[in-house]
Amino acid sequence: MIRLTDIVLRRGIQVVLDHASLTLHPGDKVGLVGVNGAGKTSLFSLLLGRLHEDAGTLEKPANWRLATVAQDVPDTDATATDFVLQGDVALCAAQRALQAAMSAPEHDEAASHDLGEAQHAFELADGYTARARAEALLLGLGFSVAELHKPVRQFSGGWRMRLALAQALFAPSDCLLLDEPTNHLDLDALVWLEQWLSRYPGLLLIISHDREFLDAICRVTVHLDGGKLTRYGGNYTLFEEQRAEKIMQQQAAFARQQQDIARLTRFVERFRAKATKARQAQSRMKALERMERLAPVYLSGALRIELLAPLSLPQQLLTLHDGCCGYGDPPILKGVSRVVTGGLRLGILGANGQGKSTLVKTLAGVLPLLSGQRIEGKGLVIGYFAQQEVDVLRLDESPLQHMQRLARDMAPHTSEQEWRNWLGRYQFDGDMMLRACGSFSGGEKARLALALVIWRKPNLLLLDEPTNHLDLPTREALAMALQDFAGSVLLVSHDRALLRATCDAFWLVADGQVQDFDGSLDDYQQWALARTRQRQSAAQAKPQTQASVPEPELTSLDRKEARRQQAEQRQQRAQRLKPIKAEFDKVETEMRQLEADRTALEAALAQPGLPTAERVEHSRQHHALSERIALLEDRWLELGEQLEALQSV
């Protein structure tokens, strides 16, 4: 286990951890939460040995393997698959030893012994399945089969971060630390990553601002606030409920103490001068001096986003007719015919690289159509937030200078005080309003970009991944604002909580087409997982397909017989699948129920003042549930492998 005891950690003059203590157990799946700037990444650096505590003790097993995502990906000619394989240090060492032993003279007895040892080490490192496992990771994270053999230097920054994530997942580890792993993922890859992490057997620590991602994976939440670490049993939603109750209890206790202090003070002031009451007054004065004063509960002011009412609300905002979208020949999207009407709340789904951003840029008029028509409705005002919006801010200019330039183009009649008031709503106050943007964090830049977009009073909002750098409170403020917005919204996001709160319908961008998606977000997740499995199966079958000998042409009788045999094979496969699928569903249902029971027990154990007898009984039940869940997880994985093997036949 990892144990932090009375840890003090400073970064410059800032105290990140102030006598903080925490214990993490093997197998824990932990979400580390806190406002931006609280010190979550610094805590990761402490656990990884990149920073050292100023006081206190950090204990972790000496033989534990800690894995995390590399901060920089080298500009190398190694292929994507080879780069991922480099994450397993033991495998690489075994591979080098095997190559050296195989190049030694054949009749050398010592060399033969070395070869046997090297082969054994390579086998222990799962070397014979390593390449297939690495490719499966890359395909799950959204890489195509062709990109498996593409040099790392040819990938863009976002895709390089996916490579670094794949390398961290591939490395054998006892503890995995992931800092915002979803920032460069689309929804397809995010859903696949959730499933992979839910099966990870070691201690998992995740920093994320994605509520549904944390809820799906984490069974423990650690809150970093004011330099203290507080452990809560349960996922993020349960943490919020427990923390709200704890804050209410703290505030109630503070209020009661203030009443007691006022009552004692009044008694002392009234009777201190009276001889008959002097002893009692003295007693109460001592009680006041001994009293351990409770601090009031201070909550940081949450950002409130207000979307300004559009100046007009046309019914027909924007039309694409038989459009081809892209940057040249061949186009990325073909035959796009879409109508954006007033009041539309639409989510745009699809994997990265399929053309979501291309579609949004075309709708925004940033990217011209290759062919077809783009027709704007009368009174259309577009507010476009691009993925790279934070990158186009002028880093040498302040927020006030950005507002001044925007106002000159959009509303020259407005005053500097109005600009200051508007920036203040987005937490740019005082000196911060005059600081150069280059010193801002990613979240601060995103808030500024959002403020500039909203100030235009658009009636059509085109938002392409607006939450990438926003913390959870700001994401929730954006969701609430979009719910109240009178105009139309088209949203590209991997934040499912935002999509669920905002969108009434979906478009699917896939295979060069834009179509209506008739289903919910959960249906899309299942569709995306099935598509990923198909790609993985196709990649595994490709070598056999290439090596196969062409079949001779069949006669009509042969075709009829072949169809009959295929039908029989499908029926036999369905019969074999049925009992396995039934058991798989049964095991999955029991796992969910037991995990819910365990979460409830963890919540009960976290309650202060729980009687000892109840605590012992809850602990015993928790241990029994954990053992049962571990057995069920093993069986669930085994059945899942059987299903995949039969379905791929």
Short mmCIF file of all heavy atoms in Angstrom, two decimals, residues 187-209:
data_model
loop_
_atom_site.label_atom_id
_atom_site.label_comp_id
_atom_site.label_asym_id
_atom_site.label_seq_id
_atom_site.Cartn_x
_atom_site.Cartn_y
_atom_site.Cartn_z
N LEU A 187 -15.02 10.38 -27.90
CA LEU A 187 -15.93 9.58 -27.09
C LEU A 187 -15.73 8.09 -27.32
O LEU A 187 -15.81 7.29 -26.38
CB LEU A 187 -17.37 9.99 -27.40
CG LEU A 187 -18.47 9.39 -26.51
CD1 LEU A 187 -18.16 9.59 -25.04
CD2 LEU A 187 -19.81 10.01 -26.85
N ASP A 188 -15.43 7.69 -28.56
CA ASP A 188 -15.22 6.27 -28.87
C ASP A 188 -14.06 5.71 -28.05
O ASP A 188 -14.17 4.66 -27.41
CB ASP A 188 -14.93 6.09 -30.37
CG ASP A 188 -16.07 6.57 -31.24
OD1 ASP A 188 -16.55 7.69 -31.01
OD2 ASP A 188 -16.48 5.83 -32.15
N ALA A 189 -12.92 6.42 -28.09
CA ALA A 189 -11.74 5.96 -27.37
C ALA A 189 -11.95 6.03 -25.86
O ALA A 189 -11.47 5.18 -25.11
CB ALA A 189 -10.52 6.78 -27.78
N LEU A 190 -12.70 7.05 -25.40
CA LEU A 190 -12.95 7.20 -23.97
C LEU A 190 -13.75 6.01 -23.43
O LEU A 190 -13.45 5.48 -22.35
CB LEU A 190 -13.70 8.51 -23.74
CG LEU A 190 -13.89 8.98 -22.30
CD1 LEU A 190 -13.96 10.49 -22.25
CD2 LEU A 190 -15.16 8.41 -21.68
N VAL A 191 -14.76 5.59 -24.17
CA VAL A 191 -15.59 4.45 -23.73
C VAL A 191 -14.74 3.19 -23.66
O VAL A 191 -14.84 2.39 -22.72
CB VAL A 191 -16.78 4.26 -24.69
CG1 VAL A 191 -17.51 2.97 -24.39
CG2 VAL A 191 -17.74 5.44 -24.59
N TRP A 192 -13.87 3.01 -24.67
CA TRP A 192 -12.98 1.83 -24.66
C TRP A 192 -12.03 1.89 -23.47
O TRP A 192 -11.80 0.88 -22.79
CB TRP A 192 -12.18 1.77 -25.97
CG TRP A 192 -11.20 0.65 -25.99
CD1 TRP A 192 -11.41 -0.63 -26.41
CD2 TRP A 192 -9.84 0.69 -25.52
NE1 TRP A 192 -10.27 -1.38 -26.24
CE2 TRP A 192 -9.29 -0.60 -25.70
CE3 TRP A 192 -9.04 1.68 -24.98
CZ2 TRP A 192 -7.98 -0.91 -25.36
CZ3 TRP A 192 -7.73 1.38 -24.63
CH2 TRP A 192 -7.22 0.10 -24.82
N LEU A 193 -11.47 3.08 -23.19
CA LEU A 193 -10.53 3.24 -22.07
C LEU A 193 -11.22 2.92 -20.74
O LEU A 193 -10.60 2.31 -19.86
CB LEU A 193 -9.98 4.66 -22.06
CG LEU A 193 -9.01 4.99 -20.92
CD1 LEU A 193 -7.75 4.13 -21.01
CD2 LEU A 193 -8.63 6.47 -20.94
N GLU A 194 -12.46 3.34 -20.59
CA GLU A 194 -13.21 3.03 -19.37
C GLU A 194 -13.23 1.52 -19.12
O GLU A 194 -13.00 1.05 -18.01
CB GLU A 194 -14.65 3.53 -19.49
CG GLU A 194 -14.85 4.94 -19.03
CD GLU A 194 -16.30 5.35 -19.12
OE1 GLU A 194 -17.16 4.48 -19.38
OE2 GLU A 194 -16.58 6.55 -18.96
N GLN A 195 -13.54 0.76 -20.17
CA GLN A 195 -13.62 -0.69 -20.02
C GLN A 195 -12.26 -1.28 -19.66
O GLN A 195 -12.16 -2.18 -18.84
CB GLN A 195 -14.16 -1.31 -21.31
CG GLN A 195 -15.58 -0.88 -21.65
CD GLN A 195 -16.45 -2.04 -22.06
OE1 GLN A 195 -15.96 -3.06 -22.55
NE2 GLN A 195 -17.74 -1.93 -21.85
N TRP A 196 -11.21 -0.75 -20.29
CA TRP A 196 -9.86 -1.27 -20.02
C TRP A 196 -9.48 -0.99 -18.56
O TRP A 196 -8.99 -1.86 -17.86
CB TRP A 196 -8.85 -0.61 -20.96
CG TRP A 196 -7.51 -1.29 -20.99
CD1 TRP A 196 -7.07 -2.23 -21.87
CD2 TRP A 196 -6.43 -1.09 -20.05
NE1 TRP A 196 -5.79 -2.62 -21.55
CE2 TRP A 196 -5.37 -1.93 -20.44
CE3 TRP A 196 -6.26 -0.27 -18.94
CZ2 TRP A 196 -4.16 -1.99 -19.75
CZ3 TRP A 196 -5.05 -0.33 -18.24
CH2 TRP A 196 -4.02 -1.18 -18.65
N LEU A 197 -9.71 0.23 -18.10
CA LEU A 197 -9.32 0.61 -16.75
C LEU A 197 -10.15 -0.12 -15.70
O LEU A 197 -9.66 -0.39 -14.59
CB LEU A 197 -9.46 2.12 -16.55
CG LEU A 197 -8.47 2.99 -17.35
CD1 LEU A 197 -8.78 4.47 -17.15
CD2 LEU A 197 -7.03 2.70 -16.93
N SER A 198 -11.39 -0.45 -16.02
CA SER A 198 -12.23 -1.18 -15.05
C SER A 198 -11.67 -2.57 -14.79
O SER A 198 -11.95 -3.18 -13.75
CB SER A 198 -13.67 -1.26 -15.54
OG SER A 198 -13.75 -2.07 -16.70
N ARG A 199 -10.87 -3.08 -15.73
CA ARG A 199 -10.26 -4.41 -15.55
C ARG A 199 -8.83 -4.36 -15.02
O ARG A 199 -8.23 -5.39 -14.77
CB ARG A 199 -10.27 -5.17 -16.89
CG ARG A 199 -11.66 -5.41 -17.47
CD ARG A 199 -11.62 -6.41 -18.60
NE ARG A 199 -10.87 -5.93 -19.74
CZ ARG A 199 -11.39 -5.27 -20.77
NH1 ARG A 199 -12.69 -4.98 -20.78
NH2 ARG A 199 -10.64 -4.87 -21.78
N TYR A 200 -8.29 -3.15 -14.85
CA TYR A 200 -6.91 -3.01 -14.38
C TYR A 200 -6.82 -3.52 -12.94
O TYR A 200 -7.57 -3.09 -12.07
CB TYR A 200 -6.48 -1.54 -14.45
CG TYR A 200 -5.10 -1.28 -13.90
CD1 TYR A 200 -3.97 -1.71 -14.59
CD2 TYR A 200 -4.92 -0.60 -12.70
CE1 TYR A 200 -2.70 -1.47 -14.10
CE2 TYR A 200 -3.66 -0.36 -12.19
CZ TYR A 200 -2.55 -0.79 -12.89
OH TYR A 200 -1.29 -0.56 -12.39
N PRO A 201 -5.88 -4.44 -12.65
CA PRO A 201 -5.89 -5.08 -11.33
C PRO A 201 -5.16 -4.29 -10.24
O PRO A 201 -5.33 -4.58 -9.06
CB PRO A 201 -5.15 -6.41 -11.60
CG PRO A 201 -4.23 -6.10 -12.74
CD PRO A 201 -4.93 -5.08 -13.58
N GLY A 202 -4.31 -3.33 -10.61
CA GLY A 202 -3.50 -2.64 -9.61
C GLY A 202 -4.18 -1.44 -9.00
O GLY A 202 -5.39 -1.22 -9.16
N LEU A 203 -3.40 -0.64 -8.28
CA LEU A 203 -3.87 0.62 -7.69
C LEU A 203 -3.91 1.67 -8.80
O LEU A 203 -2.92 1.92 -9.47
CB LEU A 203 -2.94 1.06 -6.57
CG LEU A 203 -3.12 2.46 -6.00
CD1 LEU A 203 -4.52 2.64 -5.43
CD2 LEU A 203 -2.07 2.76 -4.94
N LEU A 204 -5.07 2.28 -8.99
CA LEU A 204 -5.28 3.24 -10.07
C LEU A 204 -5.63 4.60 -9.47
O LEU A 204 -6.54 4.70 -8.66
CB LEU A 204 -6.41 2.76 -10.98
CG LEU A 204 -6.85 3.68 -12.12
CD1 LEU A 204 -5.73 3.86 -13.13
CD2 LEU A 204 -8.09 3.12 -12.81
N LEU A 205 -4.87 5.63 -9.86
CA LEU A 205 -5.16 7.01 -9.44
C LEU A 205 -5.40 7.85 -10.69
O LEU A 205 -4.56 7.86 -11.60
CB LEU A 205 -4.01 7.62 -8.64
CG LEU A 205 -3.92 7.26 -7.16
CD1 LEU A 205 -3.17 5.95 -6.99
CD2 LEU A 205 -3.20 8.35 -6.38
N ILE A 206 -6.54 8.55 -10.72
CA ILE A 206 -6.92 9.32 -11.90
C ILE A 206 -7.24 10.76 -11.49
O ILE A 206 -8.01 10.99 -10.55
CB ILE A 206 -8.16 8.71 -12.59
CG1 ILE A 206 -7.89 7.28 -13.05
CG2 ILE A 206 -8.58 9.56 -13.78
CD1 ILE A 206 -9.12 6.59 -13.60
N ILE A 207 -6.65 11.70 -12.22
CA ILE A 207 -7.09 13.10 -12.15
C ILE A 207 -7.93 13.34 -13.39
O ILE A 207 -7.48 13.13 -14.51
CB ILE A 207 -5.89 14.07 -12.13
CG1 ILE A 207 -5.02 13.84 -10.90
CG2 ILE A 207 -6.38 15.51 -12.17
CD1 ILE A 207 -3.72 14.62 -10.93
N SER A 208 -9.16 13.75 -13.19
CA SER A 208 -10.04 13.99 -14.33
C SER A 208 -11.14 14.97 -13.94
O SER A 208 -11.54 15.03 -12.77
CB SER A 208 -10.67 12.68 -14.82
OG SER A 208 -11.57 12.92 -15.90
N HIS A 209 -11.60 15.73 -14.94
CA HIS A 209 -12.74 16.62 -14.74
C HIS A 209 -13.98 16.09 -15.45
O HIS A 209 -14.93 16.83 -15.68
CB HIS A 209 -12.42 18.02 -15.24
CG HIS A 209 -11.34 18.71 -14.46
ND1 HIS A 209 -11.41 18.90 -13.10
CD2 HIS A 209 -10.15 19.24 -14.85
CE1 HIS A 209 -10.32 19.53 -12.68
NE2 HIS A 209 -9.54 19.74 -13.72
#
